[in-house]
């Protein structure tokens, strides 16, 4: 019997995790597993130990599964994955979720030292991407991926990569901003002499040249940088909407036309400086609002989860052979092999093997269910255990889960339908400006007709709502960054405005308000003896089943005895024994078979709970039951939200947690159980038809429909690097208790925008005073416009920073 | 004073040169990833080793 005492906490030299199960000593360093040690060996023997000098314990423990990348032998898949393929040189890009520190960048950019076939590699840290240039003659794609996986940087290759269109990056905003900035600067220089209005001889001589130069600089500003405003205004008018771009486009057009007319008729210098400044500031606002989290994606669907290829069995003349085929080639009736940890990509019937399917993607319930030969398996399930053979019932795209994505909500653009605060105000603003322009024009027509045209255009120029258009982008852009620092990553700025309007919040249960770790267990039954306890620990340690690992982690470990006989029955349980003790650990059916059961047992309840049963020497002992642990601060959070919002729990699970939830949550919370993914979508839709603004908070693919349908869909994620379904925002699970704060901040942002509107209206009134009285000088416009814009930017920045302090970071 | 034509032409040309340089750098993707280069420049240069054995990278990967 091997006895291991309680260990002191030692952290792994490679990955920094605490060595819980074993400590491997190698070259005077400690490692938590052989995987970590192997990576160290590889790096050390290739002179790459600088990796460990850059950061403390930077590594990732490699988890490699046999045969996982066999599909990379398939030529069609290789062709799809390669970015460039010519002769001896190939280029491929991978997304590697585990990239997290400067050591990662260093090691991945020194891959050429690990294999001579790798020519160079470049990391894009924010996107967590690597681009490798290598030669396939010496190193095939599969070996390259295995090399990465072996040092802990396993690339993510999913069905999405297979379909990926090689699309270019959209840099048009940077170009437009560059053009506007360039023209703005130069026009400012050229118009400087005339600001002072000195009737000097040489100035008179050159002013025509200066003015026409300004005109030519302003051409790209109006027709390239500012073209989006004209397009958007046109689209708005066509759909009968007076959006903010209508007065802006009007302002730009009037500025340009009047300035051109002025210099053509030699009547003045024009407003080219204000024009280019206006466009430049507006684009700056747009640029600022465009905060993107390049390492996150808010547009994912099932394709990011599904495998790119599966193993198909073909039998010709009685000869069975296996081949890797892209999943789209799978047709009804094909036989497919699913290995441990692999995802079933289509609806199928189990033919052979012990299926233990984890449907957490589909239902949110992490507990594997056992299926027998002939049972139906649904797409999205993950096999846990041995190899199974299935027969496809439907092709991938027609499977139950994937069909959810054919619902129209997934093709609808949510943000376009939303009326932003700025657009709401712009309607009244446009009417007001137009009526002031006309009234003052009519007044001057009778008073001094020569000034009519001058005043009319001056009103439209000075009232151009530059400051109003900047208020929302800067406020929301700032808040977006503050949220990002506090681990709530939002897709874009309109989400904040939408959040401020939410009156109903729908929560998914499993994975959303519960943690994925099972950290509470209860034991029911006959007390285990010391000897039984020791053997139980020893047996659990040897098993790889997720429940065994979870239970082992939580049991007290005084002594551990290693079993002499150890047998694992896949999908059922463990059978272990020493000389005088025989334990059966596993499912109720497995343990109670041939066992003497004392006391009554409720089979219905047995099935509903996640539990591990134990019998010793064929005497039934009892069971360990796992409980979903609710996230910390859940009750307080619900209390807080319930004050002004309707709260609903929408769960795909059965209702055996209902009582516990009712105790935890405010009485007004409604609960619905056994909701399928389609039901959840419909449920949210019904709420919206009752004119409710719904936020859906979920975590898995099963919530995808509801997330897309809701006004704001937020995904709670334990690890933001793991992919989450399409949504409007991703919240780090550690910040779950801060959830109500985000609502308050969103509402605060709306009031900041409203205050900025009032501030910019003040500027407009001052400007209108000049315009209506008929003495708007270009220099006044050139001062007033940037001044109002800059003070709005300053005000919103300060105000949002104050708001952000409330979050207490 | 006609030198001002010359100066204007030069100043516009210089401005255009920088502007084109900006456009080229955007096009080449210099602004796509503004973070990684800041980390990369801090890596220390490596010592060149003359050990011939070490210069032959060991092929650690064998196909399964």
């Amino acid at each position: 019997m091997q006895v291991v005492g309680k260990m002191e906490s030692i952290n792994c030299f490679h990955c920094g995790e605490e060595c819980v199960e074993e400590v491997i000593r190698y070259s005077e360093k400690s490692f938590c597993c052989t995987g970590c040690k192997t990576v160290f060996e590889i790096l050390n023997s290739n002179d790459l130990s600088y990796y460990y000098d850059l950061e403390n314990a930077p590594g990732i423990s490699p988890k490699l599964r046999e045969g996982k990348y066999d599909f990379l032998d398939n030529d069609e898949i290789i062709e799809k994955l390669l970015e460039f393929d010519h002769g001896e040189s190939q280029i491929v890009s991978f997304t590697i979720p585990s990239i997290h520190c400067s050591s990662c960048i260093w090691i991945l950019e020194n891959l050429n030292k690990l294999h001579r076939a790798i020519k160079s590699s470049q990391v894009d840290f924010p996107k967590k991407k690597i681009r490798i240039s290598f030669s396939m003659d010496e190193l095939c794609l599969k070996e390259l991926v295995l090399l990465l996986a072996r040092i802990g940087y396993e690339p993510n290759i999913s069905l999405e990569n297979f379909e990926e269109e090689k699309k270019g990056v959209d840099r048009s905003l940077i170009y437009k901003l560059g053009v506007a900035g360039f023209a703005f600067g130069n026009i400012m220089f050229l118009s400087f002499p005339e600001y002072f209005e000195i009737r000097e001889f040489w100035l008179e001589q050159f002013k025509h040249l200066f003015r026409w130069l300004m005109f030519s600089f302003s051409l790209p500003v109006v027709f390239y940088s500012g073209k989006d405003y004209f397009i958007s205004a046109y689209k708005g008018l066509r759909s009968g909407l007076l959006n903010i771009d209508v007065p802006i486009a009007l302002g730009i057009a009037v500025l340009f036309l009047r300035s051109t007319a002025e210099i053509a008729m030699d009547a003045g210098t024009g407003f080219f400086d204000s024009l280019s400044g206006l466009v430049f500031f507006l684009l700056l606002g747009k640029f600022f609002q465009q905060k993107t989290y390049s390492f996150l994606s808010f547009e994912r669907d099932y394709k990011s989860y599904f495998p790119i290829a599966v193993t198909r069995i073909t039998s010709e003349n009685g000869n069975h052979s296996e081949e890797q085929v892209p999943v789209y080639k799978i047709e009804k009736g094909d036989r497919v092999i699913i290995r441990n940890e692999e995802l079933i990509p289509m609806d199928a019937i189990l033919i052979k093997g012990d299926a233990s399917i984890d449907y957490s993607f589909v239902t949110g319930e992490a507990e594997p269910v056992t299926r027998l030969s002939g049972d139906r398996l649904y797409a999205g399930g993950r096999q846990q255990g041995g190899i199974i053979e299935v027969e496809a019932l439907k092709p991938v795209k027609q499977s139950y889960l994937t069909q959810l994505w054919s619902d129209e909500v997934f093709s609808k653009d949510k943000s376009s339908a939303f009326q932003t605060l700025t657009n709401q105000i712009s309607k009244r603003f446009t009417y007001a400006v137009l009526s002031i322009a006309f009234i003052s024009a009519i007044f001057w027509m009778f008073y001094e007709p020569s000034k009519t045209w001058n005043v009319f255009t001056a009103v439209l120029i000075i009232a151009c709502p530059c400051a109003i258009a900047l208020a929302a982008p800067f406020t929301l852009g700032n808040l977006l960054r503050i949220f990002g620092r506090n681990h709530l990553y939002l897709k874009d700025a309109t989400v904040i405005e939408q959040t401020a309007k939410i009156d109903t919040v729908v929560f998914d249960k499993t994975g959303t308000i519960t943690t994925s770790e099972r950290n509470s267990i209860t034991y029911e039954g006959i007390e285990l003896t010391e000897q039984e306890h020791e053997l139980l620990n020893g047996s659990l340690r040897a098993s790889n089943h997720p429940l065994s690992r979870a239970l082992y982690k939580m049991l007290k470990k005084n002594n551990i005895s290693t079993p002499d006989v150890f047998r694992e029955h896949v999908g059922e349980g463990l059978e272990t024994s020493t000389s005088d003790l025989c334990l059966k650990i596993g499912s109720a059916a497995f343990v109670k078979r041939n066992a003497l059961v004392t006391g009554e047992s409720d089979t219905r309840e047995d099935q509903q709970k996640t539990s591990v049963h134990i019998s010793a020497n064929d005497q039934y002992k009892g069971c360990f039951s796992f409980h979903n642990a609710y996230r910390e601060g859940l009750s307080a959070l619900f209390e807080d939200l319930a004050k002004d919002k309707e709260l609903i729990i929408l769960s795909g699970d059965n209702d055996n947690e209902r009582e516990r939830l009712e105790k935890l949550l405010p009485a007004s919370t409604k609960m619905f159980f056994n909701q399928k993914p389609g039901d959840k979508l419909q449920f949210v839709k019904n709420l919206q038809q009752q004119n409710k603004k719904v936020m859906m908070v979920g975590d898995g693919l099963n919530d995808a429909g509801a997330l897309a349908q809701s006004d704001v869909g937020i995904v709670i994620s334990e690890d933001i690097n793991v992919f989450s379904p399409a949504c409007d925002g991703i919240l780090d699970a550690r910040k779950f208790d801060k959830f109500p704060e985000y609502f308050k901040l969103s509402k605060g942002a709306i009031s900041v925008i409203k205050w900025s509107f009032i501030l910019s209206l003040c500027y407009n009134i001052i400007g209108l005073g000049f315009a209506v009285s008929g003495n708007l000088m270009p220099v006044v416009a050139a001062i007033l416009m940037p001044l109002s814009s800059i003070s709005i930017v300053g005000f919103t920045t300060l105000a949002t920073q104050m708001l952000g302090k409330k979050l207490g970071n | 004073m006609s030198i001002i034509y010359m100066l204007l032409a030069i100043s516009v040309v210089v401005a255009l040169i920088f502007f084109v340089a900006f456009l080229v750098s955007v096009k080449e993707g210099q602004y796509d990833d503004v973070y990684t280069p800041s980390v990369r420049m801090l890596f220390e240069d490596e010592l060149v080793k003359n050990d011939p054995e070490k210069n032959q990278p060991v092929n650690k990967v064998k196909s399964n």
Side-chain angles (χ1 to χ4, degrees), chain A residues 45 47 50 54 102 106 109 113-115 122-126 143 147 171 175 178-179 182 202 206 209, chain B residues 1 4-5 8 15 19 23 26-27 32-33 35-36 39-40 43-44 46 49 54 57-59 61 63:
Chain A
S45 61
D47 278 333
Y50 180 54
L54 269 171
S102 52
W106 186 79
E109 296 199 336
K113 295 196 184 137
L114 283 179
H115 199 291
Q122 196 175 12
V123 176
D124 184 335
F125 186 80
E143 286 168 336
L147 172 78
R171 304 189 185 110
Y175 285 130
V179 169
F182 167 72
W202 287 111
F206 286 112
L209 175 68
Chain B
M1 220 30 197
I4 212 155
Y5 290 108
L8 260 182
F19 182 61
L23 292 186
V26 174
K27 197 176 161 73
D32 291 355
D33 176 12
Y35 180 79
T36 323
V39 179
R40 198 177 290 136
F43 294 147
E44 277 178 50
E46 284 154 67
K49 282 191 184 150
K54 291 274 175 176
V58 192
N59 185 354
V61 177
S63 62

Side-chain angles (χ1 to χ4, degrees), chain A residues 432-580:
Chain A
V433 168
L434 283 177
S435 36
I436 292 174
F438 278 111
I439 290 168
S440 46
I442 290 168
F443 169 79
W444 283 98
M445 210 184 273
F446 293 106
Y447 191 72
E448 199 187 323
S450 64
K451 276 199 169 179
T452 312
W453 186 242
N454 187 347
V455 169
F456 182 71
T457 48
V459 170
L460 291 182
I461 287 170
I462 204 71
C464 186
C466 180
I468 290 187
L470 286 179
F474 276 93
T475 311
L476 300 178
N478 258 325
L479 204 61
L480 218 55
R481 287 169 171 77
I482 291 171
F483 279 162
R485 281 203 291 276
N486 287 285
H487 306 282
L488 170 66
Y489 307 95
L490 296 180
K491 188 167 78 173
D492 54 40
T494 47
V495 178
I496 299 179
E497 281 193 54
Q498 304 242 38
T499 307
K501 291 193 170 166
I502 294 297
D503 55 17
T504 309
V505 188
V506 181
F507 288 90
D508 169 52
K509 187 176 76 73
T510 317
T512 305
I513 58 173
T514 64
T515 59
S516 62
E517 282 169 35
R518 308 180 189 84
N519 47 12
S520 74
I521 44 164
T522 49
Y523 178 75
E524 283 170 68
I526 309 159
E527 192 87 15
L528 295 177
T529 64
E530 191 64 24
Q531 191 196 8
E532 285 162 356
H533 235 289
E534 285 167 16
L535 182 60
L536 175 65
N537 274 325
S539 320
L540 290 174
R541 188 172 68 168
S543 160
N544 269 325
H545 192 274
L547 282 183
S548 310
R549 315 295 306 169
L551 190 56
Y552 177 74
K553 267 190 188 164
M554 279 179 290
L555 286 179
K556 267 185 279 174
K557 289 173 272 283
N558 293 326
N559 286 307
I560 293 173
S561 57
T562 314
D564 301 332
V565 185
F566 178 87
R567 259 190 298 167
E568 195 155 9
H569 301 265
V570 176
E572 293 189 310
L574 308 171
E575 200 174 347
T576 65
S577 58
T578 52
S579 50
D580 55 347

Side-chain angles (χ1 to χ4, degrees), chain A residues 357-370:
Chain A
I357 314 288
D358 166 10
Y359 276 119
S360 55
F361 276 162
V362 192
T363 60
E365 176 55 63
E367 229 35 73
V369 287
T370 311

